[in-house]
Amino acid sequence: MGLSQEAVERLSRLWGKSAARNGGRTHLLLGHLLDTAAVAGVMWDRYVSAAFRRRLDEISGGRGRLWFMWVCGIHDCGKACPAFQAMDATEAAPVLAAGLTWGRLPVDRQKRWRHDVAGAVLLMPRLVAEWGDEEAAGWVWPLVAGHHGAFPSAAALRPPRGAQGRGAAWEEAQRAVVDVFTRAVGFEDLAAARPVGSLRKAEQLALSGLIVMADWIASDSSEFPGLADANLISFGGARSRAEGAWGRLRLRGGWRDLPLPEHPLAPLTGRLGVQPRASQRELVERAWSMPAPGLLVAEAPMGEGKTKAALAAAEVLAARFGLDGVFVAMPTQATSDPMYEQVLQWVRTFGPELESQVALLHGRRRFNAWWRTIWDGKPRPGGDECGCDGGSRPGAADMAGDDFGAIDEDADYGMVSAEPSTDRPTGLGADGPAYWFLGDKRGLLTAFAVGTVDHLLHAATRTRHVMLRFAGLAGKVVVVDEVHAADVYMRQFLVEALRWLGQAGVPVVLLSATLPPPQRQLFADAYLSGALGTADVHQRVPEPAGYPCVTVAYGVDGRAVAETSREAVGSWRESAPVRLAWLPDTDPGGARVAVAVRKAVADGGIALVVVNQVDRAQAIYRDLRDGGFDGVLRLLHARLSAAHRAERTTECLRLMGPQAGADRPERMVVVATQLAEQSFDVDADVLITDLAPTDLLLQRIGRLHRHSGPCRPAAHRVPRVLVTGVAPGRDGTPRFLRASEQIYGAWSLLRAAALVMQAAGTLTAVGGSTASGWSIPADVPELVARAYDSAEICPADWNEAGAWEQWQAKEREREKNAEEYLLCRRREWASPTLEGLHYAGSWAASEEQLDAVVRDGDPSVEVVIVRRTSGGYRAVDGTWLGVHGEVDDDEVTDRLMGGTVRLPSRLTDAAQAELGPLPGWAGQPWLRYRLALVLEEDGARLLGADRVSYHDVLGLVIEREAR
């Protein structure tokens, strides 16, 4: 290559990983670049989706694999500068001795010159000069500058004096790093690496995430031991190391070039064993007919089978467009668990080896039996042993806190990450789960994933390492269930995500039973804006011919297309009349509700009571219990511990679910909060519910007479709803529960009350009216459309206009608040590169803070309930922990973690100020950062100004302490 002996010597001394932070062994810079490129090569062969491989082939003139290895490996070239080489005195000595010197460098953390930005400064002028293409250089340099999680602006590419390296020796060494690496990977020279086309901005973001993934894998010192002797470094050796590491970590992709189904409906009839309903058939047919990746919106009644249809459509879309997996987003943790088990069963039909590639992404996955089966080596639910060694190896829970991709020296820039774990699971077959994916921010990189919608929303926030989250979505089909559950604030992030996914060519399937037409239009326009690369696309979505319906939106030949069902598609079951009646009551104690419940089930039947406040649910339950209720009585809400909530949910599904059969009780009452509103497959004979916005009220009605099997008492042959949480005011305007108004706002509650009034009579007409009620599901789309239409529907004296103005003002404020965290501001959407994406960005430091960002709430925290006893501590279920809270095995950890509960946000400040982990948790990955809510021997404690206690039945009870 014509390098001088001095240049060779200097290149052989530049270090990339210090012995102090790399398992005791120095790793030379060139070695790490080649390791990363070699990992990228394995990722290309076994992980990257066919769709993305095609795109990289297109922009590289058919050399996609080689170019992908080069762009991943070149990421750390900026370490060849004084600012980095001076960071460790021991490693710096040989560099200085070889003639690469430097003067005094800034010591202020804020002024230090970071090697990711240094790499862009080093590379950019060479790319412009040797590629002769400023546009190509302009989108490639941010990939280097942003590989530690944030994309700087061009203004940041100004090194402090001396930090980048001055003089012929540094210039020659920096050129040598780039040239030797480029040749070693397989290009003739740097000019040969010039791309012939550009990736779209969303594709650049996905590529950036894959670069980070390759870097993190190659940074694992236990898999890539340091090489301090340049004679031991070669690309062949790096390839061998990468192959071995990939196998030992059990990393893999998903379907890998999924073949087209043999028959158009085979994904439904064969794989899922479904006799297709008309609405399911239409969704799958639309997946076949779309000429390009696009958005599908399926609207159908509760219980219609939308999820199975979406999975079948996902198979078709993945096979047609080269996607490698699926992410299913659910509204809550509670709804994610049953969906995980459904997806697990579905994925297993493609091949049993894929079972271990299905991830459940939420903080309480430890309590899902199937998760424990696969990722923790526990017995299968039902007693069957799983196929992995469940002996003494560490469980997945022990690995979850470890960061295999530790970026060593980056800790000095405030990016502290845990040291790589050397305590790996052993004795598992090649098809066992890949624990690497359990690390922070990596869950979406798993081939098949089910989790809360927050994971999708996080991928649309301007936060560090957003590219990792987005890379996990970009190779998949994305399914979002219960999409109506996103409020105006969350919708900002959903719309932003749809825009980026549209530009990345990711098919998206949205599911809802109660989607307002304006939201359908909003989602279609967002996806089309991305697909066409234009900030403001508005393509009118035609009015569907009926309900259920399917809407599709895609871009083809630079043109936006939006279509919907042209013919009415019948629901699988006939619509049935639902009687509505008022039960005026705004007393938080709910005494009138308890009386109505007793009356409703006096002659048998199952009543579901859904209220909008935990305290109200607890009060109604107490009233029924203390009055000697004769039947099965259960309480379900969000302030139950993880274990109690899971047990109770499972029991309700067993007694009231589709397979209940003889287990269905003669008399039963479930008092619940909004947990029972969606994805809760239970069947009640009668519903008593607090007033809620119309779409959510209809979701609650969806639990009423849901299944065809139950034999109902004569009094419950016709489904009946009592609407409470509202009462007539003095001036005729409805009064609402304070909690309801705080959650939903007055305007949407007034609209809902007006629509209920048309079916139940005036609020003073207690016991019902002669009105015809609602026909469910036939009336659902009209009711939802009217609820969110601009035309007034309330009586004149309700001051609907004033409530509308207040609601609009709040919505505008929330939209503005969301803009601060959106991944890309509207005015920046036209920018063709990632340059400056993170300027003035959000730096949410924890999952709780990030959840608050996308859900527009005050941050809330989870705590683990512990009881103090003489001589030590016990878990909430009484399990002995030890003098200092010590936890000595998995079973005790499970029992302890079963006491996890989320506090209401008003207690967050007090919890963070007063609570901390127990001393005995210091060495436990699942516990060392958990806050312990230690209850005294009387079962309670003060937290701020509140007295907090926990009861096995009532859950967390919070009482304001009297002053």
Side-chain angles (χ1 to χ4, degrees):
M1 293 182 65
L3 291 175
S4 69
Q5 186 59 41
E6 289 84 359
V8 172
E9 178 69 17
R10 289 163 182 158
L11 177 60
S12 301
R13 299 294 177 87
L14 291 170
W15 62 278
K17 304 284 181 183
S18 67
R21 301 191 180 189
N22 194 56
R25 298 177 63 173
T26 301
H27 195 29
L28 294 181
L29 175 57
L30 185 59
H32 176 59
L33 301 188
L34 292 173
D35 285 343
T36 308
V39 169
V42 181
M43 288 170 58
W44 178 277
D45 296 337
R46 305 180 194 176
Y47 180 82
V48 180
S49 70
F52 204 65
R53 295 199 305 269
R54 281 199 298 267
R55 284 294 291 133
L56 291 180
D57 273 333
E58 289 170 6
I59 62 98
S60 64
R63 306 173 83 179
R65 186 178 190 274
L66 177 57
W67 194 83
F68 181 60
M69 291 192 296
W70 177 83
V71 78
C72 287
I74 202 67
H75 76 286
D76 257 356
C77 65
K79 288 184 175 179
C81 75
F84 182 85
Q85 295 295 312
M87 286 178 63
D88 186 295
T90 302
E91 306 294 352
V95 180
L96 290 165
L100 291 173
T101 59
W102 50 81
R104 188 173 181 180
L105 296 170
V107 294
D108 183 353
R109 186 182 297 271
Q110 299 300 319
K111 295 180 180 178
R112 281 185 182 172
W113 186 231
R114 288 174 27 179
H115 73 263
D116 47 358
V117 183
V121 172
L122 183 158
L123 204 55
M124 186 163 55
R126 290 202 59 189
L127 298 184
V128 172
E130 297 182 43
W131 287 0
D133 186 345
E134 288 193 16
E135 181 180 329
W139 71 265
V140 170
W141 75 255
L143 300 175
V144 174
H147 80 264
H148 280 309
F151 299 101
S153 64
L157 308 185
R158 296 174 183 166
R161 182 179 177 85
Q164 185 73 12
R166 291 182 297 171
W170 273 109
E171 182 179 346
E172 187 179 29
Q174 290 168 346
R175 289 187 67 86
V177 167
V178 175
D179 291 341
V180 170
F181 165 74
T182 301
R183 283 276 292 274
V185 168
F187 280 116
E188 299 86 349
D189 52 30
L190 186 60
R194 180 179 71 87
V196 298
S198 299
L199 292 178
R200 308 177 88 188
K201 183 158 65 174
E203 296 169 329
Q204 295 168 33
L205 189 65
L207 174 57
S208 175
L210 295 175
I211 292 170
V212 174
M213 178 178 173
D215 181 25
W216 284 15
I217 293 170
S219 295
D220 183 348
S221 62
S222 64
E223 295 293 348
F224 294 85
L227 298 174
D229 183 350
N231 292 310
L232 299 176
I233 292 174
S234 69
F235 194 40
R239 285 197 297 264
S240 177
R241 285 152 62 94
E243 288 279 357
W246 190 267
R248 285 186 295 273
L249 292 172
R250 295 187 300 281
L251 298 169
R252 60 161 295 157
W255 282 310
R256 313 305 299 148
D257 304 311
L258 182 68
L260 286 169
E262 294 180 358
H263 181 273
L265 293 180
L268 274 172
T269 58
R271 193 171 306 286
L272 289 165
V274 169
Q275 186 64 38
R277 295 166 179 164
S279 61
Q280 294 174 317
R281 186 182 300 112
E282 184 183 12
L283 182 61
V284 174
E285 288 172 349
R286 286 286 188 172
W288 277 107
S289 65
M290 278 197 309
L295 174 73
L296 296 96
V297 184
E299 299 170 62
M302 295 70 76
E304 182 77 12
K306 295 186 291 293
T307 304
K308 281 188 168 62
L311 295 179
E315 179 182 351
V316 174
L317 294 167
R320 291 188 63 215
F321 300 119
L323 286 307
D324 202 42
V326 169
F327 172 57
V328 182
M330 303 298 293
T332 62
Q333 291 183 359
T335 55
S336 298
D337 280 347
M339 181 57 65
Y340 168 68
E341 291 162 30
Q342 187 170 338
V343 171
L344 192 63
Q345 185 176 1
W346 173 66
V347 167
R348 211 181 279 130
T349 65
F350 293 95
E353 74 282 358
L354 293 178
E355 179 183 70
S356 61
Q357 308 303 313
V358 185
L360 177 59
L361 306 182
H362 67 65
R364 296 184 180 182
R365 63 191 176 202
R366 186 183 180 95
F367 303 104
N368 182 283
W370 279 106
W371 170 268
R372 298 297 302 275
T373 291
I374 294 164
W375 290 81
D376 241 4
K378 302 296 184 185
R380 289 182 181 274
D384 296 334
E385 289 296 322
C386 72
C388 47
D389 174 18
S392 60
R393 70 172 182 83
D398 301 316
M399 314 307 296
D402 295 321
D403 191 346
F404 293 104
I407 311 300
D408 46 70
E409 273 63 36
D410 300 334
D412 288 76
Y413 296 119
M415 301 179 232
V416 180
S417 54
E419 287 298 311
S421 170
T422 57
D423 185 19
R424 302 292 175 79
T426 58
L428 290 177
D431 291 333
Y435 294 94
W436 189 88
F437 289 123
L438 297 184
D440 189 30
K441 304 169 186 172
R442 300 180 218 163
L444 284 174
L445 294 169
T446 319
F448 307 97
V450 178
T452 57
V453 72
D454 302 63
H455 291 274
L456 173 61
L457 305 183
H458 292 170
T461 58
R462 199 167 53 256
T463 46
R464 187 176 292 283
H465 290 121
V466 67
M467 69 283 290
L468 266 180
R469 304 179 195 275
F470 193 77
L473 295 172
K476 295 180 173 63
V477 179
V478 174
V479 178
V480 187
D481 200 5
E482 311 277 11
V483 71
H484 56 270
D487 63 16
V488 67
Y489 184 91
M490 294 170 66
R491 275 201 300 275
Q492 305 301 305
F493 297 99
L494 181 55
V495 163
E496 182 74 359
L498 290 173
R499 190 179 291 124
W500 283 81
L501 292 172
Q503 190 175 77
V506 175
V508 178
V509 184
L510 305 180
L511 307 177
S512 177
T514 54
L515 188 66
Q519 289 187 35
R520 183 195 307 137
Q521 183 70 57
L522 179 68
F523 296 150
D525 287 343
Y527 191 92
L528 290 169
S529 293
L532 300 180
T534 305
D536 294 297
V537 172
H538 179 71
Q539 181 68 29
R540 192 184 75 81
V541 176
E543 189 68 26
Y547 177 77
C549 63
V550 176
T551 300
V552 297
Y554 55 86
V556 60
D557 299 327
R559 180 171 54 90
V561 177
E563 301 169 344
T564 193
S565 302
R566 301 182 191 91
E567 298 178 4
V569 176
S571 174
W572 70 279
R573 62 178 179 182
E574 294 295 323
S575 285
V578 175
R579 294 178 185 167
L580 286 84
W582 291 111
L583 176 60
D585 175 53
T586 54
D587 173 15
R592 292 194 67 186
V593 175
V595 171
V597 170
R598 292 179 188 280
K599 183 178 178 181
V601 294
D603 296 321
I606 295 181
L608 175 63
V609 182
V610 183
V611 295
N612 297 337
Q613 187 180 22
V614 173
D615 293 347
R616 181 166 161 87
Q618 290 172 330
I620 293 169
Y621 176 89
R622 275 197 190 105
D623 192 313
L624 291 169
R625 180 197 62 187
D626 295 347
F629 178 76
D630 180 20
V632 180
L633 179 62
R634 294 293 179 265
L635 176 64
L636 186 62
H637 59 72
R639 289 188 212 157
L640 291 169
S641 71
H644 289 153
R645 180 167 160 181
E647 290 166 4
R648 234 165 272 180
T649 301
T650 300
E651 184 188 23
C652 288
L653 290 171
R654 179 177 64 81
L655 298 176
M656 304 166 61
Q659 309 301 324
D663 287 340
R664 187 175 173 92
E666 290 185 12
R667 183 182 290 104
M668 180 175 179
V669 172
V670 177
V671 183
T673 57
Q674 292 92 331
L675 290 183
E677 193 168 83
Q678 53 205 2
S679 296
F680 188 49
D681 193 10
V682 297
D683 178 298
D685 296 318
V686 60
L687 172 69
I688 300 178
T689 174
D690 278 347
L691 185 70
T694 306
D695 51 333
L696 304 183
L697 194 60
L698 289 165
Q699 287 288 336
R700 297 177 187 185
I701 293 173
R703 316 304 127 192
L704 190 60
H705 288 225
R706 186 180 179 92
H707 307 137
S708 57
C711 180
R712 307 182 196 280
H716 299 305
R717 296 285 165 80
V718 176
R720 190 162 56 96
V721 181
L722 289 177
V723 181
T724 186
V726 58
R730 293 177 184 174
D731 57 357
T733 303
R735 290 185 294 109
F736 307 117
L737 283 164
R738 184 181 175 193
S740 299
E741 197 162 342
Q742 287 176 336
I743 296 168
Y744 301 118
W747 178 75
S748 61
L749 293 175
L750 285 172
R751 304 274 291 190
L755 291 172
V756 172
M757 191 171 68
Q758 293 172 14
T762 64
L763 267 168
T764 55
V766 180
S769 73
T770 58
S772 59
W774 289 346
S775 180
I776 303 296
D779 289 348
V780 168
E782 182 188 358
L783 287 167
V784 173
R786 291 183 65 197
Y788 291 97
D789 191 52
S790 57
E792 292 192 7
I793 60 174
C794 299
D797 55 357
W798 285 16
N799 190 24
E800 182 183 354
W804 162 256
E805 284 299 323
Q806 290 181 355
W807 186 79
Q808 279 287 88
K810 188 172 182 179
E811 297 290 273
R812 286 192 294 268
E813 180 184 358
R814 298 180 76 197
E815 286 182 7
K816 185 177 179 182
N817 292 341
E819 283 181 11
E820 181 181 350
Y821 302 104
L822 289 178
L823 183 51
C824 188
R825 294 179 176 89
R826 182 180 296 273
R827 63 179 179 274
E828 300 159 356
W829 181 243
S831 171
T833 79
L834 298 171
E835 184 259 324
L837 187 70
H838 277 87
Y839 86 92
S842 162
W843 302 109
S846 68
E847 286 300 308
E848 285 85 1
Q849 289 172 312
L850 198 51
D851 287 342
V853 163
V854 298
R855 288 193 179 259
D856 191 28
D858 296 323
S860 61
V861 296
E862 283 191 335
V863 296
V864 180
I865 299 170
V866 177
R867 302 188 189 279
R868 193 193 305 275
T869 62
S870 57
Y873 300 92
R874 293 186 182 275
V876 71
D877 70 348
T879 301
W880 172 250
L881 301 179
V883 176
H884 303 292
E886 298 88 344
V887 177
D888 54 11
D889 61 36
D890 274 356
E891 184 176 351
V892 174
T893 303
D894 282 351
R895 290 177 174 273
L896 174 61
M897 292 291 288
T900 302
V901 69
R902 184 169 292 277
L903 298 177
S905 58
R906 64 186 176 89
L907 295 182
T908 299
D909 290 343
Q912 291 176 336
E914 300 176 27
L915 307 182
L918 293 183
W921 297 355
Q924 300 291 330
W926 269 83
L927 295 171
R928 59 188 171 204
Y929 303 119
R930 296 277 180 173
L931 300 180
L933 180 67
V934 180
L935 303 179
E936 301 302 331
E937 295 191 40
D938 65 352
R941 65 160 291 154
L942 277 179
L943 190 60
D946 295 284
R947 186 177 186 272
V948 178
S949 59
Y950 188 85
H951 301 266
D952 290 347
V953 174
L954 294 175
L956 195 72
V957 177
I958 302 167
E959 302 165 295
R960 179 66 65 174
E961 186 73 1
R963 294 184 179 276

